[in-house]
């Protein structure tokens, strides 16, 4: 946080320079775009919840001065997606389980807006390296051909853009035009997986754990596919990430109505040491929080 405050002060100073304004803004933009990773090792989710919006608006302010900065665009896509999922959608999901439908609807509507904001930043990031890619993707035709030009260095932008797009669809099921776009983010994530399946220490496989839990075997998903992606995600993270296990329990074990396996899996998640790997600390704490909520509502999830 101190690092981000310092960078904000630098941005204010840079704005007052005249002769080297563009150089200074580029320097600050580079630094701020890389500053968000410190949140991942934090052990206080509520502190992060309150701090992240300030960081996001700081980045948006810098982007207005440097609108083609690829690093800022990628960072905004990723950070808006993570903030919306960890704090906005999670609150909506809990409200839904608690039977507070008004709060759930309001939360999902806000999450959807944030995801679409993240998606649009991600598409702009892709356009910086591949002219008109966003326009061609939105058309939804010949997706494999459109994505063929993507390279390994595009995987981060593909991942965050596709994640945000998919989550927006999941939180906006009443918007049938948006729902019809689902093949686009799936194709993007499949291309990312083909380019670098190890990226994010299993993050791409984590996406498919949730996706394949929601798809039938005829649609290319199903329990076996979800299980295979779970095992690979855990292998790539050296079995230190808890999120994939929660996603599998929630997506597959609830659907299969296997309460014993569900309680066993989430019990192991809660007994795990979330502090063991600093870079996964916040994500693991949030995964344990979700596991507790799910176990508290086990009677609602199983017949």
């Amino acid at each position: 946080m101190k690092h981000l405050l310092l960078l904000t002060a630098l941005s204010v100073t840079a704005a007052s320079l005249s002769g080297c304004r563009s150089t200074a803004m580029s320097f600050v933009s580079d630094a701020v775009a890389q500053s968000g990773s410190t949140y991942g090792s934090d052990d206080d989710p509520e502190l992060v919840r309150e701090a992240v919006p300030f960081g996001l608006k700081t980045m948006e302010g810098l982007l207005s001065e440097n609108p083609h900065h690829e690093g800022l665009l990628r960072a905004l896509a990723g950070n808006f997606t993570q903030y919306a999922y960890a704090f906005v959608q999670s609150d909506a999901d809990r409200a839904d389980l608690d039977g507070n439908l008004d709060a759930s609807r309001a939360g999902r509507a806000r999450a959807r807006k944030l995801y679409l904001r993240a998606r649009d930043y991600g598409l702009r990031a892709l356009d910086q390296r591949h002219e008109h890619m966003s326009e061609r993707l939105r058309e939804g035709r010949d997706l494999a051909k459109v994505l063929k030009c993507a390279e390994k260095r595009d995987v981060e932008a593909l991942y965050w853009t596709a994640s945000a797009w998919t989550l927006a669809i999941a939180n906006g099921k009443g918007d049938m035009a948006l729902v019809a776009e689902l093949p686009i983010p799936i194709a993007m994530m499949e291309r990312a997986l083909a380019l670098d399946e190890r990226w994010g220490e299993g993050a791409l496989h984590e996406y498919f754990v949730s996706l394949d839990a929601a798809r039938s075997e005829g649609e290319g998903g199903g329990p076996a596919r979800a299980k295979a992606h779970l095992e690979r995600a855990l292998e790539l993270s050296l079995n230190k990430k808890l999120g994939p296990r929660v996603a599998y329990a929630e997506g597959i074990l609830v659907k299969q109505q296997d309460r014993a396996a569900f309680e066993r899996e989430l019990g192991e998640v809660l007994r795990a040491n979330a502090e063991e790997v600093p870079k996964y600390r916040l994500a693991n704490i949030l995964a344990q929080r979700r596991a507790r909520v799910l176990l508290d509502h086990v009677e609602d999830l199983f017949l």
Side-chain angles (χ1 to χ4, degrees):
M1 188 64 187
K2 289 181 179 178
H3 183 51
L4 186 54
L5 288 171
L6 173 61
L7 292 170
T8 305
L10 284 172
S11 71
V12 173
T13 302
S16 68
L17 299 176
S18 56
C20 56
R21 177 184 175 86
S22 61
T23 301
M25 289 305 300
S26 180
F27 168 77
V28 174
S29 297
D30 288 344
V32 171
Q34 299 174 34
S35 66
S37 60
T38 57
Y39 291 126
S41 60
D42 205 293
D43 64 355
D44 188 337
E46 299 314 313
L47 177 64
V48 173
R49 178 197 288 264
E50 294 172 3
V52 167
F54 171 79
L56 290 171
K57 292 308 297 180
T58 298
M59 281 192 264
E60 286 189 319
L62 287 168
L63 186 67
S64 68
E65 298 286 341
N66 199 356
H68 300 291
H69 193 283
E70 186 182 345
L72 278 177
L73 290 166
R74 284 198 310 266
L76 282 164
N79 290 338
F80 265 112
T81 303
Q82 292 174 92
Y83 174 75
Y85 181 78
F87 301 114
V88 181
Q89 182 179 326
S90 64
D91 287 351
D93 290 344
R94 179 175 293 192
D96 193 16
L97 287 169
D98 289 339
N100 189 344
L101 299 184
D102 288 341
S104 176
R105 280 193 291 268
R108 292 190 189 284
R110 183 177 177 229
R112 175 179 169 274
K113 288 177 63 177
L114 291 170
Y115 289 135
L116 291 175
R117 194 168 178 170
R119 177 202 66 180
D120 290 347
Y121 283 130
L123 288 172
R124 286 174 60 185
L126 289 168
D127 278 344
Q128 302 313 302
R129 289 188 13 83
H130 307 285
E131 191 174 5
H132 302 307
M133 176 177 274
S134 64
E135 180 182 346
R136 295 169 65 201
L137 285 170
R138 287 177 187 273
E139 291 173 353
R141 299 191 300 270
D142 297 322
L143 293 171
K145 182 178 179 181
V146 173
L147 291 164
K148 188 176 181 179
C149 64
E151 300 172 352
K152 192 171 182 178
R153 61 185 291 189
D154 296 310
V155 168
E156 180 182 356
L158 288 170
Y159 173 81
W160 288 119
T161 308
S163 293
W165 208 331
T166 305
L167 288 164
I169 292 167
N171 283 273
K173 294 178 180 178
D175 185 344
M176 297 312 297
L178 181 62
V179 171
E181 295 173 351
L182 182 58
I184 305 173
I186 293 176
M188 294 171 71
M189 202 66 83
E190 288 173 341
R191 177 58 175 157
L193 191 68
L195 287 167
D196 185 7
E197 62 106 16
R198 292 176 173 271
W199 184 86
E201 288 138 333
L204 296 164
H205 290 282
E206 292 176 50
Y207 171 91
F208 284 101
V209 171
S210 296
L211 179 69
D212 288 342
R215 297 194 296 181
S216 68
E217 292 182 10
E219 295 169 321
R225 291 289 301 273
K227 182 70 170 178
H229 282 295
L230 170 68
E231 291 172 350
R232 186 57 176 153
L234 294 177
E235 180 182 5
L236 290 172
S237 70
L238 302 180
N239 205 27
K240 301 302 182 183
K241 286 186 180 181
L242 302 179
R245 300 176 66 180
V246 176
Y248 181 80
E250 188 174 3
I252 292 296
L253 299 180
V254 171
K255 184 179 289 187
Q256 293 177 334
Q257 287 293 284
D258 191 340
R259 179 169 176 170
F262 177 85
E263 292 181 332
R264 183 169 58 252
E265 187 71 32
L266 294 189
E268 291 178 3
V269 166
L270 292 178
R271 287 190 293 274
N273 180 10
E275 306 277 341
E276 185 177 357
V277 182
K279 63 182 176 181
Y280 302 148
R281 184 180 290 135
L282 180 62
N284 281 343
I285 290 172
L286 291 170
Q288 288 182 327
R289 179 181 288 186
R290 191 172 186 89
R292 289 190 189 94
V293 170
L294 291 170
L295 286 172
D296 286 344
H297 290 84
V298 68
E299 298 296 337
D300 302 318
L301 297 170
F302 292 87
L303 300 177

